[in-house]
Amino acid sequence: MNILKKSTVVAIFATSFIFASSSKAASLDVNVDVSIPDVLILYAYTDIDLSFAPGEFTKLLDSSCSSEDCASALTATQSGTITSSVVDLDIASDLSATGTSASITLQNSWAVRALGYGTFNASIADKASETAVSNLDITPSTGTPSMVATTGDVSFDIDLTSSDLDDGTVTANYTITVTGS
């Protein structure tokens, strides 16, 4: 066979391979399973310092007070008898506190994000708060978590007659627990 015939045969085979591979197709089904772990993230402030203006608390004790410097006149005429150089005008009978406790709500003080859970349950437990602190509560206590954070509140009452207030500070310590299911 001469070189021209050999070249022609090689060219025909090469052309047939090029056209044969482009005229055929292959397909394959692929299934990919991605396992995502259950993730639960709790966000909360670990230190909160609250300072209230005096007027905020005077309103709790006397509803007629509206500022920090509250003056409340006693309008009833008093009379008393002098006994051993002492006059008792009995001011205690004119005092009536409108409140002996303050309710505090810490709005948006915690949040939860989750993946892989259908619901969450939130709870709060007292962790050595002073005795002036009571009725510790958390909201919401249940919810549907997602990657968009669900925020919540913590609330408690402060007993304004407590001896814990003698130093001007009341301490609330608590633990927030969120579980997913």
Side-chain angles (χ1 to χ4, degrees):
M1 209 186 252
N2 67 26
I3 294 186
L4 185 56
K5 284 184 180 181
K6 287 182 185 178
S7 299
T8 305
V9 171
V10 170
I12 291 172
F13 280 130
T15 306
S16 68
F17 284 131
I18 292 172
F19 289 119
S21 63
S22 66
S23 65
K24 301 287 184 186
S27 66
L28 180 64
D29 292 332
V30 177
N31 293 324
V32 177
D33 294 328
V34 177
S35 297
I36 298 173
D38 294 338
V39 176
L40 186 68
I41 304 169
L42 173 63
Y43 303 92
Y45 292 101
T46 57
D47 261 326
I48 301 171
D49 294 325
L50 302 177
S51 297
F52 292 91
E56 293 294 320
F57 278 94
T58 57
K59 286 185 255 185
L60 293 170
L61 296 175
D62 188 338
S63 59
S64 66
C65 290
S66 60
S67 68
E68 291 182 16
D69 300 319
C70 185
S72 184
L74 300 176
T75 56
T77 303
Q78 293 291 330
S79 61
T81 306
I82 298 174
T83 307
S84 301
S85 301
V86 174
V87 178
D88 182 4
L89 294 179
D90 196 19
I91 192 173
S93 65
D94 292 322
L95 302 179
S96 59
T98 57
T100 56
S101 66
S103 295
I104 308 298
T105 299
L106 306 174
Q107 292 181 325
N108 298 310
S109 58
W110 65 275
V112 63
R113 273 191 176 134
L115 188 64
Y117 293 104
T119 61
F120 72 85
N121 295 306
S123 62
I124 192 165
D126 193 298
K127 186 184 156 198
S129 293
E130 289 185 314
T131 58
V133 175
S134 63
N135 297 325
L136 196 57
D137 193 26
I138 192 167
T139 55
S141 59
T142 62
T144 304
S146 70
M147 290 311 297
V148 176
T150 299
T151 59
D153 305 338
V154 171
S155 61
F156 54 89
D157 294 336
I158 297 176
D159 178 4
L160 298 178
T161 65
S162 174
S163 61
D164 289 338
L165 276 72
D166 62 354
D167 63 354
T169 302
V170 174
T171 302
N173 289 310
Y174 52 84
T175 301
I176 298 173
T177 303
V178 177
T179 55
S181 57

